[in-house]
Amino acid sequence: MASAQSRIKRSVVFFLVPDFSMLAFSTAIEPLRIANRMLGYECYRWRLSSSDGGPVRASNGVAVAVDTSLADERRHLTGENRPSMVFVCAGVNVEKFQNKSVNAWLREEYNRGIAVGGLCTGAHILASAGLLSGRRCAIHWENLPGFAEAFPKVDVFADLYEVDSNIYTCAGGTAALDMMINLIGDDHDDNLVNRICEQALTDRVRNPHDRQRLPLRARLGVQNSKILSIIELMEAHLSEPLSLIEIARYAGLSRRQIERLFRQEMGRSPARYYLEIRLDRARHLLVQSTMPVVEVAVACGFVSASHFSKCYRELYGRSPQQERADRKQLLNAA
């Protein structure tokens, strides 16, 4: 009969970063617990870790105790406590976490053949460690614009999760559940996957390339297919905005028809709506990256920083510089 140790499929370290997402963390760890229960033995083993071995507070304010420190994990790289996987659990304010020792540890884990992954915004830390250059990864849609600008050599996607060789990343939220159940399915079979889904009250495991956000139809409460296709076109051309004439040609409508549709369905002109989604992207870049304001302006299709600042102030009631300063103040106070 096989020993208890030999029956363990995976030994996982969850490294918690301050302000990590409790939702992503819990939906990643729970499938492992359920799998053990369904199998009747400890197939999956895990432990929690932090930089100093102290409790880590999640973004919802709950402090979670951990089992090991970074120093402990370095010692565990050799010996029976060596993990087979390491997941970095992050969330809001991930840009604030800058720890060269953690980066070096992650590189060492990966170079020793240990799988590494990121939950929610954990991909940001993996990229900072230099592990994602030329790799595919997933990150939460809200953080994607800033991440793409900060790490241009990384192939980032608004997918639920990505598996590229020995690197696992997911967008957070319940996407962690899909990624972990898929991983368990690779180890076992569909029967175990189905039993886990029944226990978790989920009817299916989503495809990794399923969309993160609600479809535009549900998100905007708009049913008109022409309007939806035009908005999708706008969202795909933020750095180099299309003219209304070009949009009309793509949509097969006249400019007057488009103007009338937007007034009826969106309560504003198409030009105003286009401007607002470009400014929304700019806002994400301002709070998630260190890009100069002029570069943010160019990335969002503005011909000058002064025009960008004027439009930004009109919509949000403060300048781009004030937006960034307020963000820095919030991070420093956290």
Side-chain angles (χ1 to χ4, degrees):
M1 182 176 178
S3 67
Q5 185 70 26
S6 66
R7 297 168 80 183
I8 294 174
K9 277 283 187 182
R10 298 181 192 268
S11 175
V12 185
V13 171
F14 290 96
F15 184 82
L16 306 184
V17 174
D19 291 323
F20 70 95
S21 165
M22 183 67 79
L23 179 58
F25 168 65
S26 60
T27 55
I29 205 169
E30 279 297 286
L32 303 180
R33 179 193 67 81
I34 297 171
N36 285 348
R37 182 180 171 218
M38 295 296 101
L39 291 167
Y41 65 91
E42 189 183 42
C43 182
Y44 298 98
R45 180 176 292 177
W46 57 87
R47 60 180 179 262
L48 312 185
S49 184
S50 69
S51 296
D52 59 2
V56 184
R57 194 172 298 277
S59 58
N60 62 7
V62 175
V64 176
V66 303
D67 307 298
T68 63
S69 67
L70 184 60
D72 295 328
E73 290 303 329
R74 283 190 177 281
R75 288 191 290 270
H76 291 331
L77 272 168
T78 58
E80 64 178 13
N81 288 319
R82 168 191 168 103
S84 56
M85 304 188 78
V86 172
F87 281 104
V88 178
C89 309
V92 298
N93 302 327
V94 68
E95 305 88 356
K96 186 179 179 181
F97 186 82
Q98 297 179 4
N99 189 313
K100 292 182 179 180
S101 296
V102 169
N103 291 349
W105 167 65
L106 289 170
R107 288 193 296 270
E108 192 171 0
E109 294 277 355
Y110 180 76
N111 291 335
R112 287 175 177 260
I114 296 168
V116 297
L119 306 180
C120 193
T121 60
H124 194 286
I125 295 171
L126 298 186
S128 295
L131 293 174
L132 294 182
S133 293
R135 300 278 192 180
R136 294 176 62 93
C137 78
I139 198 167
H140 194 280
W141 63 265
E142 194 173 37
N143 298 85
L144 196 151
F147 181 93
E149 294 292 343
F151 304 104
K153 294 183 180 180
V154 180
D155 294 326
V156 61
F157 296 90
D159 293 337
L160 294 182
Y161 64 92
E162 285 284 348
V163 179
D164 189 334
S165 184
N166 221 20
I167 297 179
Y168 296 72
T169 53
C170 81
T174 57
L177 177 71
D178 299 285
M179 183 173 73
M180 297 305 281
I181 292 180
N182 179 73
L183 185 149
I184 293 168
D186 289 342
D187 293 341
H188 297 279
D189 55 28
D190 288 344
N191 180 52
L192 179 60
V193 166
N194 292 337
R195 293 169 70 191
I196 294 171
C197 287
E198 287 182 335
Q199 288 291 318
L201 303 184
T202 184
D203 61 351
R204 69 185 180 98
V205 181
R206 291 175 293 178
N207 185 285
H209 306 304
D210 280 1
R211 68 172 73 229
Q212 290 183 25
R213 303 185 72 180
L214 289 172
L216 274 176
R217 190 180 302 273
R219 186 163 20 120
L220 301 177
V222 173
Q223 301 302 316
N224 189 294
S225 59
K226 286 290 187 181
I227 284 281
L228 293 172
S229 64
I230 291 171
I231 292 175
E232 287 180 346
L233 190 65
M234 289 176 172
E235 291 185 345
H237 295 82
L238 297 181
S239 60
E240 297 182 2
L242 301 172
S243 68
L244 189 53
I245 294 175
E246 291 173 309
I247 291 173
R249 186 168 65 248
Y250 278 117
L253 298 171
S254 69
R255 293 179 58 182
R256 182 172 296 180
Q257 286 174 312
I258 294 175
E259 290 276 2
R260 185 170 64 250
L261 280 174
F262 266 80
R263 295 285 183 190
Q264 291 173 348
E265 299 284 348
M266 309 305 297
R268 53 176 76 70
S269 71
R272 180 65 185 181
Y273 186 84
Y274 206 170
L275 175 64
E276 288 176 1
I277 60 176
R278 288 161 53 209
L279 288 171
D280 180 66
R281 177 182 173 85
R283 188 167 183 266
H284 280 97
L285 290 176
L286 286 168
V287 301
Q288 295 170 11
S289 75
T290 58
M291 292 174 63
V293 171
V294 66
E295 290 185 16
V296 172
V298 172
C300 298
F302 292 90
V303 295
S304 70
S306 59
H307 181 230
F308 167 57
S309 295
K310 177 177 179 292
C311 294
Y312 197 94
R313 186 185 292 276
E314 286 178 353
L315 183 61
Y316 294 115
R318 55 189 177 278
S319 70
Q321 291 82 359
Q322 289 172 317
E323 185 78 77
R324 176 160 283 168
D326 290 346
R327 172 65 172 175
K328 285 182 179 179
Q329 186 176 9
L330 180 64
L331 285 174
N332 291 333

